[in-house]
Amino acid sequence: MRKTFLLTLCSLALIAQDRPVPPPGIAVSAADRTELEQGLKALTAATGEVANHPMHSDVAVIRDAVRYALTYNEFFAPADIAKAKELLKTGIARAQMLSKGSAPWATSTGLIMKGYVSKIDGSVQPYVLLVPSQWTPGSSRKWRLDTWFHGRGETLSEVNMLTQKVGDFQPP
Protein backbone atom coordinates (compact mmCIF):
# COMPACT_ATOMS: atom_id res chain seq x y z
CA MET A 1 0.00 0.00 0.00
CA ARG A 2 2.77 2.38 0.94
CA LYS A 3 4.72 1.60 -2.25
CA THR A 4 1.60 2.18 -4.36
CA PHE A 5 1.02 5.53 -2.68
CA LEU A 6 4.63 6.63 -3.25
CA LEU A 7 4.56 5.50 -6.89
CA THR A 8 1.32 7.38 -7.45
CA LEU A 9 2.72 10.49 -5.82
CA CYS A 10 5.89 10.34 -7.93
CA SER A 11 3.84 9.79 -11.10
CA LEU A 12 1.69 12.81 -10.34
CA ALA A 13 4.79 14.92 -9.77
CA LEU A 14 6.19 13.88 -13.14
CA ILE A 15 2.90 14.57 -14.92
CA ALA A 16 2.69 18.01 -13.33
CA GLN A 17 6.12 18.85 -14.76
CA ASP A 18 4.87 18.27 -18.31
CA ARG A 19 2.77 21.44 -18.41
CA PRO A 20 3.51 24.97 -17.33
CA VAL A 21 1.52 26.54 -14.52
CA PRO A 22 0.10 29.00 -15.25
CA PRO A 23 -0.53 27.97 -18.85
CA PRO A 24 0.76 30.25 -21.60
CA GLY A 25 -1.48 33.23 -22.19
CA ILE A 26 -3.10 34.25 -25.46
CA ALA A 27 -1.36 36.38 -28.08
CA VAL A 28 -1.76 40.11 -27.57
CA SER A 29 -2.14 42.04 -30.82
CA ALA A 30 0.47 44.67 -31.61
CA ALA A 31 -2.14 47.41 -31.29
CA ASP A 32 -3.31 46.18 -27.87
CA ARG A 33 0.27 45.71 -26.67
CA THR A 34 1.15 49.26 -27.74
CA GLU A 35 -1.93 50.67 -26.01
CA LEU A 36 -1.22 48.73 -22.82
CA GLU A 37 2.46 49.71 -22.81
CA GLN A 38 1.59 53.39 -23.32
CA GLY A 39 -1.00 53.23 -20.54
CA LEU A 40 1.48 51.45 -18.31
CA LYS A 41 4.11 54.11 -19.00
CA ALA A 42 1.62 56.85 -18.06
CA LEU A 43 0.55 55.00 -14.92
CA THR A 44 4.17 54.36 -13.91
CA ALA A 45 4.90 58.09 -14.16
CA ALA A 46 1.74 58.95 -12.22
CA THR A 47 2.60 56.35 -9.57
CA GLY A 48 6.03 57.90 -9.14
CA GLU A 49 4.45 61.29 -8.48
CA VAL A 50 2.54 59.90 -5.48
CA ALA A 51 5.26 57.52 -4.25
CA ASN A 52 5.39 59.17 -0.82
CA HIS A 53 1.64 59.11 -0.23
CA PRO A 54 0.51 56.58 2.41
CA MET A 55 -2.02 55.11 -0.06
CA HIS A 56 0.52 54.79 -2.87
CA SER A 57 0.08 51.00 -2.88
CA ASP A 58 -3.55 51.36 -4.00
CA VAL A 59 -2.18 52.77 -7.27
CA ALA A 60 1.01 50.71 -7.53
CA VAL A 61 -0.94 47.44 -7.29
CA ILE A 62 -2.72 48.28 -10.53
CA ARG A 63 0.52 49.20 -12.26
CA ASP A 64 2.12 45.93 -11.20
CA ALA A 65 -0.90 43.83 -12.19
CA VAL A 66 -0.79 45.10 -15.76
CA ARG A 67 3.02 45.01 -15.93
CA TYR A 68 3.12 41.38 -14.78
CA ALA A 69 0.40 40.37 -17.25
CA LEU A 70 2.39 41.92 -20.10
CA THR A 71 5.77 40.66 -18.96
CA TYR A 72 4.76 37.09 -18.11
CA ASN A 73 2.13 36.50 -20.82
CA GLU A 74 -0.76 36.32 -18.34
CA PHE A 75 -3.67 37.33 -20.54
CA PHE A 76 -5.72 34.13 -20.72
CA ALA A 77 -8.77 35.44 -22.60
CA PRO A 78 -9.45 38.48 -24.81
CA ALA A 79 -11.54 39.97 -22.00
CA ASP A 80 -8.40 40.09 -19.82
CA ILE A 81 -6.87 42.65 -22.18
CA ALA A 82 -9.95 44.87 -21.90
CA LYS A 83 -9.85 44.50 -18.10
CA ALA A 84 -6.21 45.60 -18.05
CA LYS A 85 -7.06 48.70 -20.10
CA GLU A 86 -9.80 49.64 -17.64
CA LEU A 87 -7.48 49.02 -14.71
CA LEU A 88 -4.94 51.41 -16.23
CA LYS A 89 -7.62 54.13 -16.42
CA THR A 90 -8.55 53.44 -12.80
CA GLY A 91 -4.92 53.59 -11.70
CA ILE A 92 -4.28 56.90 -13.46
CA ALA A 93 -7.49 58.37 -11.99
CA ARG A 94 -6.44 57.22 -8.51
CA ALA A 95 -2.97 58.70 -8.90
CA GLN A 96 -4.46 62.03 -9.99
CA MET A 97 -6.79 62.02 -6.99
CA LEU A 98 -3.96 61.17 -4.59
CA SER A 99 -1.83 63.99 -6.01
CA LYS A 100 -4.68 66.36 -5.10
CA GLY A 101 -4.94 64.90 -1.58
CA SER A 102 -8.09 62.91 -2.27
CA ALA A 103 -8.75 59.17 -1.95
CA PRO A 104 -12.52 58.63 -2.19
CA TRP A 105 -12.16 54.84 -2.32
CA ALA A 106 -10.86 54.97 1.27
CA THR A 107 -14.31 55.94 2.52
CA SER A 108 -16.39 54.15 -0.11
CA THR A 109 -18.62 51.16 0.46
CA GLY A 110 -19.02 48.07 -1.67
CA LEU A 111 -16.15 46.22 -3.32
CA ILE A 112 -12.93 48.20 -3.03
CA MET A 113 -9.71 47.22 -4.83
CA LYS A 114 -6.58 47.90 -2.77
CA GLY A 115 -2.92 47.00 -2.40
CA TYR A 116 -0.39 46.70 0.40
CA VAL A 117 3.40 46.64 0.47
CA SER A 118 4.74 43.31 1.69
CA LYS A 119 7.12 43.56 4.63
CA ILE A 120 8.77 40.38 3.35
CA ASP A 121 9.99 41.53 -0.06
CA GLY A 122 8.62 45.05 -0.66
CA SER A 123 6.30 43.87 -3.45
CA VAL A 124 2.82 45.33 -3.77
CA GLN A 125 0.13 42.71 -3.18
CA PRO A 126 -3.53 43.00 -4.24
CA TYR A 127 -6.60 42.52 -2.11
CA VAL A 128 -10.26 43.45 -2.30
CA LEU A 129 -12.48 44.63 0.55
CA LEU A 130 -16.25 44.34 0.78
CA VAL A 131 -17.26 47.33 2.89
CA PRO A 132 -20.90 47.18 4.07
CA SER A 133 -23.15 49.72 2.36
CA GLN A 134 -24.41 50.98 5.75
CA TRP A 135 -20.90 51.82 6.99
CA THR A 136 -19.97 55.46 7.38
CA PRO A 137 -16.53 56.90 8.16
CA GLY A 138 -16.07 57.56 11.86
CA SER A 139 -18.78 55.10 12.86
CA SER A 140 -18.15 53.54 16.27
CA ARG A 141 -20.32 50.53 15.47
CA LYS A 142 -18.57 47.24 14.70
CA TRP A 143 -19.02 46.04 11.12
CA ARG A 144 -18.31 42.86 9.24
CA LEU A 145 -15.52 43.36 6.70
CA ASP A 146 -14.88 40.70 4.05
CA THR A 147 -11.51 40.47 2.33
CA TRP A 148 -10.21 38.64 -0.73
CA PHE A 149 -6.54 37.94 -1.31
CA HIS A 150 -4.87 36.66 -4.46
CA GLY A 151 -4.52 32.96 -3.66
CA ARG A 152 -3.79 30.45 -6.40
CA GLY A 153 -5.46 29.52 -9.63
CA GLU A 154 -3.97 28.45 -12.93
CA THR A 155 -5.33 31.49 -14.75
CA LEU A 156 -5.68 33.84 -11.79
CA SER A 157 -3.44 36.73 -12.76
CA GLU A 158 -3.46 39.91 -10.71
CA VAL A 159 -5.52 41.60 -13.43
CA ASN A 160 -8.15 38.87 -13.06
CA MET A 161 -8.01 38.90 -9.28
CA LEU A 162 -8.56 42.65 -9.09
CA THR A 163 -11.47 42.55 -11.52
CA GLN A 164 -13.00 39.18 -10.59
CA LYS A 165 -14.66 40.26 -7.37
CA VAL A 166 -15.17 43.85 -8.39
CA GLY A 167 -16.81 42.96 -11.68
CA ASP A 168 -17.34 46.06 -13.75
CA PHE A 169 -15.29 48.18 -11.39
CA GLN A 170 -16.07 51.87 -11.54
CA PRO A 171 -13.33 54.32 -10.58
CA PRO A 172 -12.26 55.40 -8.02
Side-chain angles (χ1 to χ4, degrees):
M1 176 80 169
R2 188 173 180 179
K3 283 184 182 182
T4 303
F5 174 75
L6 289 174
L7 285 173
T8 302
L9 189 60
C10 290
S11 297
L12 289 174
L14 290 173
I15 291 169
Q17 291 176 0
D18 289 346
R19 64 183 179 87
V21 177
I26 63 169
V28 178
S29 72
D32 283 334
R33 180 168 293 279
T34 298
E35 184 179 346
L36 288 167
E37 287 173 347
Q38 288 174 347
L40 188 55
K41 185 175 181 180
L43 179 54
T44 299
T47 304
E49 292 174 14
V50 295
N52 293 324
H53 193 285
M55 296 183 76
H56 163 266
S57 58
D58 290 348
V59 176
V61 72
I62 296 169
R63 175 205 60 207
D64 289 355
V66 176
R67 181 171 53 95
Y68 295 153
L70 275 170
T71 301
Y72 301 112
N73 193 27
E74 292 181 342
F75 292 110
F76 303 108
D80 295 350
I81 297 167
K83 291 175 189 177
K85 290 176 183 179
E86 287 303 310
L87 281 174
L88 288 169
K89 291 176 188 174
T90 299
I92 290 169
R94 281 187 173 191
Q96 290 169 344
M97 287 183 259
L98 281 183
S99 70
K100 295 176 184 171
S102 174
W105 64 92
T107 56
S108 295
T109 61
L111 289 163
I112 311 298
M113 169 178 36
K114 296 188 60 62
Y116 71 94
V117 177
S118 169
K119 291 182 180 180
I120 296 171
D121 63 2
S123 63
V124 183
Q125 299 295 318
Y127 68 102
V128 175
L129 295 177
L130 174 56
V131 180
S133 60
Q134 302 85 1
W135 175 80
T136 55
S139 173
S140 60
R141 179 179 163 200
K142 292 183 180 183
W143 295 92
R144 173 184 168 154
L145 180 65
D146 292 328
T147 58
W148 285 274
F149 296 91
H150 191 287
R152 181 72 190 108
E154 289 197 15
T155 59
L156 184 61
S157 66
E158 291 187 6
V159 167
N160 284 333
M161 185 270 175
L162 288 172
T163 58
Q164 175 183 44
K165 295 290 181 202
V166 180
D168 295 327
F169 185 76
Q170 299 297 316

